[in-house]
C-alpha cells in the first residue's frame, strides 16, 4: 500500500504523518515552496517513508490519492482533472473537502466510480473520526476498501451523506457562527467565550478552535454550508471572520488569528 497526498498544508501534513506513523509509504505534492519546507521535519522523522515533491508524479499507481488543497471548488476540480491522465486503474481518489459537494467535485471525471470523500479532522493524527462520503457513482468496493484502509490506521470511519457540511461541520456551524456574532456586536471578547465554553467541558473554545483549523478554512466552510442550504440566516457568514481573512490573520498557521502565537 502507498499513498499520494495533494496539498501539504495543515491537513495534508497531518494525514501524511498518520500514514507514515503506520509505516505506510506516503508521498506529498505541493507547488508551494514554503509548504514543502514545513514538511522537511516530518521527512527527516520518517526517512524513506515520507517524501515531498514539487511536481506531480507522472505515474499515479498509489492505493489512494488524498486531495487536501484549499476549499475552493474550481481549484479542486482543476486538480482532479489534472491527475486524470496519470492515474492507474484501481486507484481510489479521496477528497478531504469539509463542505463541498462530493458529487459536484466528481462530475464528468472518468474515474468517478473510484471517487469518494474522506473527511479527516484536525489534527488527523489524534482525532479518530473520519466521515466517509460516497456518491451515487462510487463503487461499493471502493467504500469497503476505504473503511478497511481507514480502520487499519486506527481511524473510526463513519458513512455520511453528501449534504452541505456533511454531519459534523453542519452540526458544529452554530458553535462558530453564534460565537462570532456575540463578538461582532461587542457583547463579549473571544477570550471570555473560550473560557466559558472550555469551563463547560468543550476541549477548545470556538476562537481557539478557529485559530487551529485556519480562519480562512473555517470561513470557507461556513460560506459553502450557507450557500448549499440556500442561505438560511442561522448560518450567515460573519463579517468579523471575513475581515480576519482579508487581513491575513488566518490563525496558528501564520502566527496570528484571534490570538497571537510564537513562531
Ligand atoms: P491549507 O491552506 O493549510 O493547505 C492547502 C495546501 O494546498 C497549501 O499548502 C497549498 O500550497 C496547497 N495547494 C494549493 N494549490 C495546490 C495544487 N494545485 N496542488 C497541490 N497543492 C496545492 O488548507 P488545509 O487546512 O490543509 O485544508 C485543505 C482541505 O482540507 C480543505 O478542503 C479543507 O476544507 C479541508 N479540511 C480542513 C480542516 C482543518 O481543520 N484545517 C479539517 C478538515 C478538512
Amino acid at each position: 500500500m502507498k499513498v499520494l497526498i495533494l496539498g501539504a498544508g495543515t491537513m495534508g501534513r497531518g494525514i501524511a504523518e498518520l500514514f507514515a506513523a503506520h509505516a505506510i509509504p506516503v508521498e506529498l505534492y505541493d507547488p508551494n515552496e514554503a509548504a514543502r519546507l514545513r514538511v522537511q521535519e516530518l521527512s527527516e522523522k520518517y526517512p524513506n517513508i515520507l517524501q515531498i515533491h514539487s511536481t506531480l508524479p507522472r505515474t499515479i499507481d498509489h492505493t489512494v490519492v488524498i486531495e487536501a488543497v484549499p476549499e475552493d471548488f474550481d481549484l479542486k476540480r482543476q486538480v482532479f482533472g489534472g491527475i486524470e491522465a496519470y492515474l492507474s486503474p484501481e486507484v481510489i481518489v479521496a477528497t478531504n473537502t469539509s463542505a463541498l459537494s462530493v458529487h459536484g467535485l466528481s462530475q464528468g471525471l472518468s474515474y468517478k466510480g473510484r471517487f469518494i470523500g474522506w473527511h479527516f479532522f484536525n489534527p488527523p493524527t489524534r482525532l479518530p473520526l473520519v466521515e466517509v462520503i460516497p456518491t451515487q457513482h462510487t463503487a461499493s468496493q471502493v467504500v469497503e476498501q476505504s473503511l478497511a484502509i481507514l480502520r487499519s490506521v486506527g481511524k473510526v470511519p463513519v458513512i455520511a451523506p453528501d449534504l452541505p457540511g456533511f454531519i459534523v461541520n453542519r452540526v458544529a456551524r452554530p458553535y462558530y457562527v453564534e460565537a462570532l456574532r456575540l463578538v461582532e456586536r461587542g457583547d463579549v471578547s473571544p477570550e471570555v467565550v473560550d473560557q466559558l465554553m472550555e469551563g463547560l467541558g468543550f476541549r477548545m473554545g470556538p476562537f481557539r478552535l478557529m485559530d487551529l483549523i485556519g480562519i480562512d478554512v473555517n470561513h470557507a466552510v461556513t460560506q459553502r454550508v450557507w450557500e448549499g442550504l440556500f442561505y438560511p440566516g442561522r448560518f450567515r457568514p460573519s463579517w468579523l471572520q471575513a475581515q480576519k481573512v482579508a487581513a491575513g490573520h488566518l490563525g496558528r498557521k501564520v502566527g496570528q488569528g484571534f490570538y497571537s502565537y510564537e513562531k
Side-chain angles (χ1 to χ4, degrees):
M1 169 160 173
K2 59 177 180 173
V3 176
L4 173 64
I5 299 179
L6 310 176
T10 309
M11 293 306 287
R13 272 199 317 277
I15 299 167
E17 181 164 19
L18 168 73
F19 284 99
H22 285 80
I24 295 169
V26 55
E27 292 175 76
L28 283 145
Y29 157 65
D30 200 303
N32 181 290
E33 193 182 358
R36 291 197 301 275
L37 282 175
R38 282 194 290 271
V39 177
Q40 208 154 352
E41 214 174 291
L42 268 188
S43 29
E44 284 160 16
K45 187 170 168 194
Y46 299 102
N48 306 322
I49 293 189
L50 190 150
Q51 292 175 317
I52 174 86
H53 304 293
S54 58
T55 52
L56 199 58
R58 283 302 182 242
T59 304
I60 305 181
D61 56 359
H62 303 68
T63 317
V64 60
V65 175
I66 303 171
E67 168 277 311
V69 308
E71 188 76 346
D72 173 321
F73 185 82
D74 293 338
L75 174 65
K76 286 188 194 279
R77 287 278 299 164
Q78 204 181 317
V79 166
F80 293 127
I83 60 172
E84 201 152 22
Y86 311 113
L87 267 186
S88 302
E90 313 286 318
V91 180
I92 296 175
V93 179
T95 174
N96 187 43
T97 181
S98 301
L100 292 168
S101 158
V102 181
H103 275 91
L105 289 172
S106 75
Q107 223 171 31
L109 294 174
S110 60
Y111 56 89
K112 62 184 176 193
R114 291 180 272 140
F115 194 90
I116 191 161
W118 285 13
H119 182 221
F120 290 86
F121 291 83
N122 187 12
T125 45
R126 290 183 52 194
L127 295 186
L129 178 64
V130 180
E131 289 177 313
V132 171
I133 307 111
T135 72
Q136 286 174 15
H137 305 289
T138 310
S140 53
Q141 191 195 341
V142 168
V143 180
E144 292 310 316
Q145 258 179 296
S146 297
L147 299 176
I149 295 170
L150 290 165
R151 286 184 185 127
S152 76
V153 290
K155 296 290 115 178
V156 178
V158 172
I159 302 224
D162 188 18
L163 296 172
F166 314 127
I167 299 173
V168 172
N169 269 322
R170 172 126 168 220
V171 173
R173 238 55 249 143
Y175 191 57
Y176 310 109
V177 170
E178 286 303 325
L180 284 158
R181 298 243 197 288
L182 281 172
V183 172
E184 274 175 1
R185 285 169 42 102
D187 292 333
V188 67
S189 69
E191 290 81 358
V192 168
V193 176
D194 281 351
Q195 274 167 16
L196 287 176
M197 299 314 287
E198 288 163 16
L200 193 63
F202 283 82
R203 289 275 274 281
M204 295 179 91
F207 293 95
R208 234 184 287 286
L209 187 51
M210 283 186 270
D211 274 5
L212 174 74
I213 290 167
I215 293 174
D216 52 336
V217 174
N218 189 270
H219 185 54
V221 174
T222 300
Q223 285 175 298
R224 297 295 86 80
V225 173
W226 182 59
E227 289 162 6
L229 295 173
F230 303 109
Y231 312 103
R234 68 186 192 282
F235 289 150
R236 183 171 46 78
S238 144
W239 62 255
L240 174 62
Q241 200 174 30
Q243 203 177 52
K244 285 272 177 205
V245 175
H249 293 167
L250 308 182
R252 276 198 205 184
K253 61 185 167 187
V254 299
Q256 177 68 52
F258 290 102
Y259 297 90
S260 291
Y261 302 86
E262 293 289 322
K263 282 276 177 206

